[in-house]
Amino acid sequence: MKTGPLMIEFFGTLLLVFVILATGNPYAIGATLAIIVAIGGGVSGGHFNPAVTTSLVFANKTGMNSLI
């Protein structure tokens, strides 16, 4: 996996965690997730939750490079 998609995943996850911790508002969290998936989903695959990526690796749906 190239560094571009990994950077999008990193900053998208960072933004999502920030909104979760700063607001706790479910509407703000949902809107943030929708925005980051709309912006970065086409580039990175849209796994902005590390648990989703991990489960897809264990289900052999994506490569182990996604976890690194």
Side-chain angles (χ1 to χ4, degrees), residues 46-58 62 67:
H47 308 159
F48 291 100
N49 184 342
V52 172
T53 305
T54 305
S55 64
L56 288 173
V57 168
F58 286 126
T62 187
L67 287 177

Side-chain angles (χ1 to χ4, degrees), residues 20-41:
I20 290 169
L21 295 177
T23 66
N25 182 346
Y27 295 112
I29 295 168
T32 303
L33 184 60
I35 290 169
I36 62 175
V37 167
I39 292 172

Side-chain angles (χ1 to χ4, degrees), residues 7-30:
M7 293 302 290
I8 290 174
E9 291 280 338
F10 174 75
F11 286 116
T13 303
L14 184 70
L15 178 63
L16 181 62
V17 169
F18 174 75
V19 170
I20 290 169
L21 295 177
T23 66
N25 182 346
Y27 295 112
I29 295 168

